[in-house]
Amino acid sequence: GLDTAAFGQCLESGKYIAQVEADFAATERLGITGTPTFFINGQMYPALLSTADLRRIFAEVAPEVDLN
């Protein structure tokens, strides 16, 4: 359902170029090289994490939260 003409016109206009460049610069400063990348309590996890991985990480950083 993408309106490719409108999308192309938006790209051509450069309307969001400053925001895209700022976001890209921020990823470089943070050392992000790909997606997905998660930050949990300031720790970077540059990988696809399973539900089990996320549960383990959250249990470590927020043991008081019930994830069940």
Side-chain angles (χ1 to χ4, degrees):
L2 175 66
D3 182 340
T4 56
F7 183 77
Q9 184 179 11
C10 181
L11 284 178
E12 296 286 325
S13 76
K15 180 177 180 179
Y16 297 103
I17 192 72
Q19 182 63 55
V20 170
E21 289 175 346
D23 290 347
F24 185 77
T27 64
E28 286 187 320
R29 281 192 305 277
L30 292 169
I32 297 171
T33 59
T35 59
T37 298
F38 297 92
F39 284 87
I40 302 170
N41 273 12
Q43 174 68 39
M44 184 169 67
Y45 296 88
L48 184 59
L49 300 174
S50 69
T51 302
D53 292 333
L54 290 169
R55 286 182 183 279
R56 179 185 49 76
I57 293 165
F58 289 132
E60 291 172 9
V61 300
E64 70 282 1
V65 176
D66 181 14
L67 297 174
N68 295 317

